[in-house]
Amino acid sequence: MVSTRVSSPLGGPLPKKPQPTTPLQAWVTSLPAAYRVGMMELDPTVFGEDLRKDILQRVVVFQRASWRAGTAKTKTRSEVRGGGKKPWQQKGTGRARASSIRSPLFRGGGTVHGPTPKDWSIKLPKKVQRMGVRVALSAKLAQNDLLIVDSLNLPSSNEEDLLEALFSNSLPPNLSAAAEGLDDVTVMPQRDINVYDMLNHPTLIMSMDAVREVEQWLSTWRHGSPEDLTSFLEADDQQQDQQ
Amino acid sequence: MSGARFGLHNLQKAAGATKQAIRAGRGRSSRRGKTAGKGHKGAGQHASGRARLLFAGGQTPFYRTQPKHGFHNPHSKEYDTVNLDDISRVLKAGRLDPSQTITMKHLMDAGVVGRQVKHGVKLLGRGKERFSDPISIEVSRASKSAIGAIEEAGGSITTVYFNQRTLLAHLKPHRVSRPQAQARPRGADLEYYSNPDNRGYLAKQKQKEQSMEEVD
């Protein structure tokens, strides 16, 4: 990748990156038949973010650090049970002097500088956290790994129905029940969408409603108000509906 | 774009993101050999080599020569105030949209309250004599006279509880990482927002109507 560094002629702050003015286009698929039923317009500030791998790396490190339990613990010589009596007298035995059978030098003795419970979580600016989700979404779209479906309703909560839906390249309120026994499928509501899980799975499947909600949360749209963007994007949805 | 798709296995830091630590005391050619950048002799050689803030060399430091006074109330709340004449003014200027419910966010965007709202916004009754806009408004607190004036003008008012977290999410959505669930008031706040006389959002609608009639 070639990157060009932009600097302001007066050495001041860098000019703001121009915002995209046109929405992105994406296919909408219908399950289980995998028909393409139309197109939908996507917020370019959410799905057209620069593909910053370094931002993804920071968010993944942040997420994984926050998951660490931090409960590793060893006992020091004062915490190991027993060891109150001096094992043998200080002088005259010919043995090395010893004060306690729980000294770190003894078998069964305490541990020196062992792990103690600690909080491993690190901090990451919230704007970077959100940018990470945008980058991951944009990467999914750019890699053609994003499948937008009109609805995620399954006929039943059977795994078979889900697998059939998935492998017929189509998709699935029986959704989480059906996916429970499947290691390769993670089902989550749109508010839980996160960088780690998106990168951990090759494909991301979202309903149109989920796309709209995520856009509302993540958009950095600056041309007018958020309502303008919504009406701008939704006008197109309605056109599609009419067709 | 090069071949492989983005995954957990091929993430990378940005070039130049990491810097190697300086290793002190690793030989003369390292520029930090011998005394390892610590100079000669004295307490400065140690990790705790500097006096703590406000330490006066052993003499009683100034802050301890003075007696303690005052106290800090952890439960106190400071509300930013907005008066009815402020609202009339921005409505007239077109900076508030009277067709939708006016929230504290709208008040902030309209410039009636500053960018630093601490615990919420309280609506006060200055300008009630001339207030005639039928608006619907949601704020943290409201004075009796403000409530009376808004309802007399044909509008409605609800007082809504926000804690610091939900207030930040409401006023500055860009500052929170995710949408926030609504907070539930406790103690004195719960009482305030359950009271129909305050037009609290937890008060029963019927009781509110009753309360409005009493005012009339």
Side-chain angles (χ1 to χ4, degrees):
Chain A
M1 269 195 285
V2 182
S3 69
T4 44
R5 194 165 279 248
V6 191
S7 62
S8 154
L10 297 175
L14 293 176
K16 274 196 175 146
K17 195 178 80 172
Q19 285 233 314
T21 49
T22 49
L24 299 167
Q25 304 280 335
W27 287 109
V28 178
T29 309
S30 178
L31 304 177
Y35 284 130
R36 283 179 167 174
V37 287
M39 306 271 307
M40 87 184 279
E41 301 205 320
L42 301 178
D43 186 338
T45 64
V46 175
F47 288 92
E49 186 62 82
D50 293 343
L51 302 184
R52 292 273 301 272
K53 233 183 210 184
D54 55 315
I55 297 289
L56 297 180
Q57 189 266 350
R58 287 175 71 183
V59 178
V60 168
V61 169
F62 165 79
Q63 279 190 277
R64 296 193 52 171
S66 73
W67 294 337
R68 288 188 70 167
T71 50
K73 169 82 177 90
T74 58
K75 290 188 174 178
T76 67
R77 59 183 295 169
S78 65
E79 289 161 345
V80 181
R81 188 184 176 92
K85 188 181 78 171
K86 189 169 176 72
W88 49 81
Q89 62 189 54
Q90 181 81 349
K91 299 177 82 72
T93 60
R95 299 203 58 170
R97 54 198 181 179
S99 61
S100 163
I101 58 164
R102 299 304 184 205
S103 149
L105 304 183
F106 277 58
R107 177 176 177 276
T111 305
V112 185
H113 302 311
T116 50
K118 72 177 254 190
D119 179 5
W120 287 91
S121 62
I122 54 176
K123 288 188 175 179
L124 191 66
K126 284 169 189 145
K127 287 181 183 177
V128 178
Q129 294 175 29
R130 269 193 308 246
M131 183 176 177
V133 181
R134 295 202 302 269
V135 173
L137 286 170
S138 306
K140 289 294 174 200
L141 180 70
Q143 293 165 173
N144 208 11
D145 289 335
L146 175 65
L147 180 65
I148 300 176
V149 297
D150 53 354
S151 132
L152 284 172
N153 294 323
L154 273 190
S156 79
S157 60
N158 291 335
E159 276 182 18
E160 286 77 26
D161 277 337
L162 174 61
L163 283 174
E164 193 182 334
L166 288 176
F167 287 105
S168 64
N169 198 13
S170 64
L171 241 213
N174 284 325
L175 190 58
S176 59
E180 206 164 47
L182 299 173
D183 289 345
D184 295 339
V185 182
T186 308
V187 178
M188 62 180 63
Q190 51 269 30
R191 64 165 186 280
D192 287 348
I193 194 167
N194 66 83
V195 172
Y196 184 91
D197 285 316
M198 277 196 269
L199 292 178
N200 200 17
H201 294 79
T203 310
L204 173 67
I205 302 172
M206 294 176 87
S207 69
M208 289 173 75
D209 292 343
V211 169
R212 283 289 173 258
E213 260 189 59
V214 169
E215 277 176 344
Q216 209 161 35
W217 164 41
L218 293 170
S219 181
T220 58
W221 179 262
R222 283 199 302 267
H223 307 290
S225 66
E227 288 81 18
D228 289 346
L229 175 67
T230 314
S231 56
F232 167 54
L233 292 174
E234 274 171 7
D236 194 73
D237 289 351
Q238 281 161 11
Q239 269 179 16
Q240 295 295 336
D241 291 347
Q242 284 162 13
Q243 289 164 10
Chain B
M1 283 286 312
S2 56
R5 55 156 71 96
F6 281 15
L8 293 174
H9 59 290
N10 59 13
L11 299 179
Q12 250 178 356
K13 283 187 181 181
T18 46
K19 220 157 90 171
Q20 252 185 353
I22 292 167
R23 301 173 70 226
R26 292 291 183 276
R28 276 161 58 176
S29 62
S30 74
R31 207 172 78 82
R32 280 185 181 71
K34 201 180 171 184
T35 58
K38 289 281 195 178
H40 291 277
K41 285 187 175 176
Q45 293 176 344
H46 297 283
S48 54
R50 235 162 289 121
R52 64 172 190 270
L53 192 67
L54 300 181
F55 183 68
Q59 165 186 289
T60 306
F62 176 75
Y63 71 92
R64 275 176 42 205
T65 62
Q66 306 300 317
K68 289 182 181 177
H69 64 94
F71 75 106
H72 169 72
N73 178 2
H75 301 295
S76 76
K77 298 235 170 135
E78 289 171 30
Y79 292 101
D80 284 46
T81 55
V82 169
N83 278 285
L84 290 173
D85 54 1
D86 295 328
I87 295 198
S88 311
R89 180 166 52 82
V90 287
L91 278 170
K92 203 171 161 196
R95 276 148 57 191
L96 276 180
D97 177 7
S99 67
Q100 56 176 321
T101 302
I102 296 166
T103 65
M104 292 189 277
K105 170 82 173 146
H106 295 122
L107 295 176
M108 182 180 270
D109 293 345
V112 199
V113 294
R115 298 291 298 165
Q116 305 288 333
V117 173
K118 199 164 184 190
H119 292 117
V121 173
K122 179 163 183 173
L123 186 62
L124 301 179
R126 194 179 71 204
K128 65 184 174 206
E129 300 80 11
R130 291 176 303 283
F131 190 80
S132 60
D133 305 284
I135 55 168
S136 155
I137 189 168
E138 282 181 4
V139 285
S140 303
R141 302 261 161 154
S143 70
K144 293 247 179 324
S145 60
I147 293 176
I150 294 229
E151 286 171 355
E152 197 159 310
S156 67
I157 179 164
T158 311
T159 53
V160 183
Y161 175 74
F162 285 90
N163 64 12
Q164 302 246 293
R165 170 177 59 83
T166 53
L167 187 66
L168 185 73
H170 175 57
L171 296 176
K172 301 182 178 178
H174 59 281
R175 290 270 303 276
V176 294
S177 62
R178 300 187 167 269
Q180 300 286 315
Q182 205 178 17
R184 259 174 278 171
R186 285 185 294 182
D189 283 329
L190 181 60
E191 256 169 56
Y192 182 92
Y193 292 107
S194 308
N195 189 341
D197 293 343
N198 299 328
R199 303 297 183 264
Y201 73 118
L202 298 174
K204 300 222 165 70
Q205 188 56 34
K206 269 195 187 145
Q207 289 179 331
K208 276 195 207 173
E209 283 161 13
Q210 218 171 10
S211 170
M212 285 165 72
E213 279 167 22
E214 280 166 24
V215 175
D216 296 341

